[in-house]
Amino acid sequence: MSIKEAYEQKQQAQLNEWAVQIKKLKAKADMAEADAQLSYYKQIEELQSMQDEATKKLTKLKNAGDEAWEDLKAGMESTRGSLGNAMKVAVSRFK
């Protein structure tokens, strides 16, 4: 397995984990009081949008040649970091 393939698998695993967390947050939001639901759903939409963006970047990275993927890696790292931070904030608010 190449370094690129290992990186792709690691990123995909993280995105899959976050997708599960987003589903759990949505389930919690569904059970929240009506006035809190609106705020929760807005956060969930933002997380899903960030997740979609990260998935698109990962797809571009997967389709990139061996030389070009290094250039795309920085963008993926930035997006992943932003999504990771947003997930931490959301999880703490949903407790």
Side-chain angles (χ1 to χ4, degrees), residues 31-88:
M31 295 171 45
E33 295 180 17
D35 52 338
Q37 278 184 340
L38 204 54
S39 173
Y40 289 166
Y41 288 143
K42 183 179 178 189
Q43 260 190 309
I44 290 168
E45 283 181 34
E46 290 173 13
L47 290 172
Q48 287 175 325
S49 177
M50 293 174 81
Q51 173 89 3
D52 291 344
E53 182 64 27
T55 300
K56 287 177 187 175
K57 286 189 177 190
L58 183 58
T59 299
K60 283 183 181 181
L61 189 137
K62 286 179 178 180
N63 293 328
D66 287 339
E67 295 176 20
W69 84 274
E70 283 288 343
D71 296 333
L72 297 171
K73 183 178 172 185
M76 182 68 206
E77 290 294 321
S78 175
T79 300
R80 190 177 72 103
S82 297
L83 180 54
N85 290 334
M87 287 297 301
K88 287 177 189 175

